[in-house]
Amino acid sequence: MLIRPYLRDQAFEPEVLEAMDFAFVTICEALALSNPVDGMNQRVADKIVELAAGGMRNPTALRLAAMREFFAKTSQRRSAR
């Protein structure tokens, strides 16, 4: 499962797309997200797109930053309950 269906007409250079695919696939695997129409997949993709659009290009750094931000927001929501 690649990130491209979630890009909403946004264009990125091929090497950035590869980095984004790596981050998306590894995060989805870690979260056991296999349904491409799942809203969680979209949220993960949105975070990766946001980071890549902001200039992050290294695949590992992109994955770690997306995971850190995604999990931080998830933890905040849970503790607010």
Side-chain angles (χ1 to χ4, degrees), residues 12 45-57 61-67 69:
F12 291 92
D46 289 345
K47 177 52 62 183
I48 293 168
V49 168
E50 175 187 327
L51 292 166
M56 192 168 288
R57 301 292 190 251
L62 186 58
R63 176 180 57 91
L64 293 173
M67 286 177 61
E69 289 192 38

Side-chain angles (χ1 to χ4, degrees), residues 12-62:
F12 291 92
E13 296 175 8
E15 62 273 3
V16 177
L17 283 172
E18 286 182 35
M20 293 167 70
D21 283 337
F22 171 78
F24 183 70
V25 167
T26 56
I27 292 172
C28 287
E29 286 174 354
L31 296 174
L33 300 176
S34 59
N35 183 353
V37 295
D38 185 355
M40 291 293 286
N41 291 42
Q42 184 65 57
R43 286 190 270 183
V44 170
D46 289 345
K47 177 52 62 183
I48 293 168
V49 168
E50 175 187 327
L51 292 166
M56 192 168 288
R57 301 292 190 251
N58 179 282
T60 302
L62 186 58

